Amino acid sequence: MASEGQQHAPELRAVARHLGRRRFLTVTGAAASLAFATNLPTAGVAGAAELDARRIPDDPFTLGVASGDPLPSSVLLWTRLAPAPYEPGGGLPQERVTVHWELARDARFRRVARRGTATAHPEFNHTVHVEVDHLEAGRTYYFRFRTGKWISETGRTRTAPPTGSRTSALTLAAVSCQAYHDGYFTAYKHLAQDDVDVVFHLGDYLYEYAVNAVGGARNYTDRTLPAHYNKETQTLGDYRLRYALYKSDPDLRAAHAAHPFVVTWDDHEAENNYADDIDENGNPPAEFLLRRAAAYRAYWENQPLRRPQLPDGPDARLYRRLKWGRLAQFDILDTRQYRSDQAYGDKAHAPGPETDDPRRTITGATQERWLIDGWRRSRALWNVVPQQVTFSQRKLDLNAQAKLSMDAWDGYRASRKRVLAGARSADIDNLMVLTGDVHVGYAFDIKADFDDPSSRTVGTEIVATSIASGKDGADKPANWDTYTKANPHLKFYNGRRGYVTVALGGDSARADFKTVSAVTTPGAPIRTAASFVTEAGDPGLRPA
C-alpha cells in the first residue's frame, strides 16, 4: 500500500490542472509534453534521423526476446534495444534503428519461414513489435533479431491450431505477481524448462513500489541498483525504467524466450487497487489518468501485444479472445480499467447493499456483454477465462456474516451473478476461471450458490500463486484453517511461490500446482504441491 495522502509527481499535477478526462483525450500537445504520445509515429517522426546500428558498441538485446498472442497463422514477436537498460533511454540516442528479424522452423535457422525488418522508434523506447503472419497452424517456430553486429538470443514460439480443428490437448501455465523486491524469479527458471504450449500472465507484472540499492529481499552483494529505482513509479520514464529492471532478470528472460505469453494487467502495473480513474489515495482523477496513461503506454511497449492493444491516452482495449481449435476458447478479461470503485472504502466487509448493487460492475457493461456474447457463439469444449482477482466467494472469517474482500468479485456480487447467469444461458458446460492477485494457490469449485455447499457446481477456478510477491510464504499460511473451514468449495490452499499448469484434454483437465521452497535466496528446487482433475461435462475438482 502507498502512504496515505501521497501526491503525484509535480508535472502530473501541473498538467492535470488544465485537463479534464475528456480534454485529456484530445489535447495531444499537453500529453506529448510529458512524452505521453498516444499514436503511432507520424510521417515526420518516421523520417527522423536513423542511427547507424554499427555504432552501437554494446549488446542492445539485454532485455531478451518474447512472443505472444498466438493465432493459427500469426504470432507477435517482441524485443527492445537497450545497451544500457538501467539508464533513461536505454543508452541509445533519440534516433530510429533498423532491426532485422527471422522466424524459422528449426533452432539453427536452416529452414527460415519468414524474415523482414522493423523499426525501433525512440518514441516507443526502441521496442519492436512484429506481427508475423502467413504461418502454418499448430507448429513450433524459432525466432531472433539482429541489428548491426549484434544478434539476440533465440526465442521459441508456436502458432495456435487451425480454427475449428479437433485438437486433443493443450498445456498452459498461469503466472502472476512478480514483485522484484520480494525475491528471485526462480519459478520462471523452472517454467522455462517446463513443457507448456502457452503462458498466461494474470497481472502484476511489475510493482510500482520503490526498489532499494540491494534489490530489497534479493539483498544483492554483487551489484548496486541505481538510485532512481528507489522511488514509486509515476511518470512514463519511471515505468519504462522499472520494466527494464524486471526484464533484465535472467529467469524472466528465459521464460519469455521459451514460451509465448498472453498477458493481462491487474493494478500494480499502474497503482495499487485503483478502480477506473480512482486511485487509492483520493488524488484528482485527471492526475491519475495521466499516470495511468504513462503506465499503460509502458506496459504495451514492454509486452508482446498486438496493435489493437496500443493505448489511446489513458485507455486501452486489453480484453480479447483467443481460440485453440475447438478444444478451448480463452476470454482474457480486464477487471481493473472499467470497474466501479470498491465498496465500503475497500475494507474487508460483510455483503451488503453496495456489494449487491446491480449498478456496480467489475468489468464494465461493454466487456460483460462481450464475454457473454462470446460464450453464446463458442464451440469450444473448455471455456477458460484468464483474469485478475478471485472470482469465487472467499469468506475471510468464521462469523455468521463473514467479511469478504471488496477488491475481488466478492465486492461486485451483482457482476458475478450476471456473468454466471450468462454462462448458464449460453449452456457453457466446462467453465474454468484462471486467477492471480492473492499470492497463494487456490483451487475452487464455482457454485451456483456459494452459501449452499450442496448447490450445483458450475465450473472451476484455478488461482496461481505469485512468482515472488509475498517473499517465501508457507505451505499453510496462518489463516489456512479459517479459510478451509469457512469455504467448503475451497479444495486447495497453499502459500508458497510458483506457478500452475493446466493440461486440457478431450475428457478432462488436470491442474498441477508447482511451488518453490524459497525466493529470498536463488536456486530453490520445484515440486508439485498438489494436482487436481475435473472431468469434461462434470465440473468439480478431485485430487489426481
Side-chain angles (χ1 to χ4, degrees):
M1 297 288 287
S3 59
E4 279 299 313
Q6 177 180 336
Q7 294 298 307
H8 288 151
E11 55 266 41
L12 296 184
R13 298 199 303 271
V15 172
R17 282 197 295 269
H18 304 287
L19 299 174
R21 177 179 172 86
R22 294 181 180 177
R23 286 199 65 213
F24 176 81
L25 295 175
T26 59
V27 184
T28 56
S33 72
L34 290 176
F36 296 156
T38 60
N39 299 311
L40 288 169
T42 64
V45 171
E50 180 171 358
L51 176 67
D52 183 351
R54 293 173 298 181
R55 293 171 47 206
I56 300 176
D58 300 306
D59 181 9
F61 296 108
T62 56
L63 304 179
V65 301
S67 68
D69 280 20
L71 303 177
S73 63
S74 174
V75 71
L76 188 286
L77 308 181
W78 176 93
T79 194
R80 180 189 162 208
L81 307 182
Y86 295 173
E87 296 179 6
L92 290 176
Q94 292 296 299
E95 297 175 336
R96 57 192 174 95
V97 183
T98 297
V99 180
H100 300 264
W101 58 268
E102 287 182 308
L103 184 137
R105 296 177 177 88
D106 67 300
R108 295 186 177 184
F109 291 85
R110 291 174 176 172
R111 294 181 294 147
V112 174
R114 296 292 308 280
R115 57 164 52 99
T117 61
T119 301
H121 290 280
E123 291 77 12
F124 289 99
N125 208 26
H126 292 107
T127 57
V128 175
H129 294 72
V130 180
E131 298 186 29
V132 186
D133 53 16
H134 304 297
L135 301 178
E136 296 178 43
R139 71 160 299 140
T140 298
Y141 287 97
Y142 299 85
F143 65 97
R144 64 187 178 186
F145 298 89
R146 175 177 60 83
T147 190
K149 66 179 181 180
W150 302 103
I151 299 176
S152 75
E153 63 199 86
T154 295
R156 182 180 62 187
T157 190
R158 66 174 298 117
T159 50
T163 301
S165 64
R166 296 190 178 275
T167 303
S168 60
L170 158 70
T171 300
L172 64 88
V175 298
S176 71
C177 301
Q178 50 198 52
Y180 186 99
H181 57 277
D182 272 359
Y184 290 90
F185 294 166
T186 307
Y188 274 134
K189 179 180 180 180
H190 296 290
L191 177 56
Q193 300 165 0
D194 212 337
D195 184 17
V196 303
D197 297 299
V198 63
V199 177
F200 287 86
H201 199 293
L202 305 172
D204 294 343
Y205 189 95
L206 61 67
Y207 281 67
E208 74 276 27
Y209 305 141
V211 180
N212 65 19
V214 297
R218 295 186 177 211
N219 197 27
Y220 289 139
T221 58
D222 61 344
R223 73 199 78 174
T224 300
L225 298 180
H228 54 63
Y229 286 121
N230 200 17
K231 66 174 184 177
E232 185 165 327
T233 55
Q234 299 210 22
T235 67
L236 180 57
D238 293 340
Y239 286 105
R240 284 172 163 174
L241 282 166
R242 191 61 55 88
Y243 278 105
L245 176 63
Y246 275 58
K247 294 179 82 70
S248 66
D249 181 274
D251 295 332
L252 177 57
R253 279 182 58 169
H256 270 301
H259 311 298
F261 272 54
V262 177
V263 301
T264 186
W265 53 42
D266 191 19
D267 52 342
H268 288 289
E269 289 88 352
E271 190 213 36
N272 180 59
N273 280 18
Y274 78 91
D276 191 4
D277 60 357
I278 301 169
D279 73 4
E280 70 169 335
N281 291 313
N283 289 301
E287 288 184 22
F288 177 65
L289 287 173
L290 286 166
R291 181 179 182 179
R292 199 176 91 173
Y296 284 12
R297 174 59 173 263
Y299 183 84
W300 185 87
E301 288 176 346
N302 286 281
Q303 298 290 4
L305 286 167
R306 294 177 183 269
R307 188 166 296 187
Q309 280 64 62
L310 177 67
D312 182 6
D315 302 306
R317 168 71 181 267
L318 198 61
Y319 65 88
R320 60 207 190 277
R321 180 170 293 124
L322 298 174
K323 298 181 180 181
W324 208 264
R326 292 184 64 180
L327 180 66
Q329 175 172 297
F330 297 99
D331 295 293
I332 300 104
L333 299 190
D334 174 359
T335 62
R336 194 57 64 178
Q337 184 176 181
Y338 314 105
R339 67 162 65 192
S340 306
D341 196 13
Q342 289 92 342
Y344 301 110
D346 199 14
K347 306 295 183 184
H349 200 282
E354 286 190 49
T355 58
D356 295 327
D357 186 345
R359 295 170 298 181
R360 297 180 67 256
T361 176
I362 194 171
T363 61
T366 300
Q367 184 178 195
E368 183 182 291
R369 287 193 301 270
W370 168 86
L371 174 62
I372 295 171
D373 288 346
W375 281 339
R376 289 172 179 156
R377 294 191 296 268
S378 175
R379 300 173 64 198
L381 175 64
W382 298 96
N383 287 274
V384 185
V385 184
Q387 56 94 53
Q388 295 75 23
V389 294
T390 304
F391 182 83
S392 300
Q393 180 170 281
R394 183 174 53 123
K395 292 182 178 180
L396 305 179
D397 57 58
L398 294 170
N399 296 326
Q401 287 294 313
K403 292 182 178 179
L404 309 171
S405 168
M406 294 298 101
D407 190 56
W409 286 78
D410 276 339
Y412 302 82
R413 301 206 311 174
S415 263
R416 182 170 62 201
K417 184 177 180 180
R418 289 192 300 268
V419 165
L420 289 177
R424 185 170 60 252
S425 69
D427 198 24
I428 295 298
D429 290 328
N430 301 302
L431 172 64
M432 178 177 290
V433 178
L434 300 179
T435 299
D437 180 59
V438 284
H439 310 169
V440 298
Y442 290 136
F444 287 104
D445 285 347
I446 300 173
K447 307 296 287 187
D449 180 356
F450 285 107
D451 291 321
D452 179 5
S454 65
S455 70
R456 188 166 62 97
T457 297
V458 297
T460 59
E461 181 178 11
I462 304 298
V463 180
T465 187
S466 63
I467 291 290
S469 304
K471 302 181 182 177
D472 292 337
D475 287 320
K476 286 189 175 183
N479 55 17
W480 191 90
D481 283 334
T482 298
Y483 280 22
T484 53
K485 290 176 182 176
N487 302 284
H489 55 286
L490 174 59
K491 305 302 180 181
F492 173 72
Y493 176 17
N494 182 281
R496 292 289 186 187
R497 309 298 137 239
Y499 60 95
V500 62
T501 60
V502 179
L504 300 176
D507 299 321
S508 64
R510 175 187 173 112
D512 292 300
F513 291 86
K514 302 184 178 184
T515 62
V516 295
S517 57
V519 294
T520 54
T521 55
I526 197 157
R527 71 181 184 96
T528 300
S531 301
F532 292 86
V533 170
T534 180
E535 303 293 332
D538 185 17
L541 291 162
R542 301 165 185 84

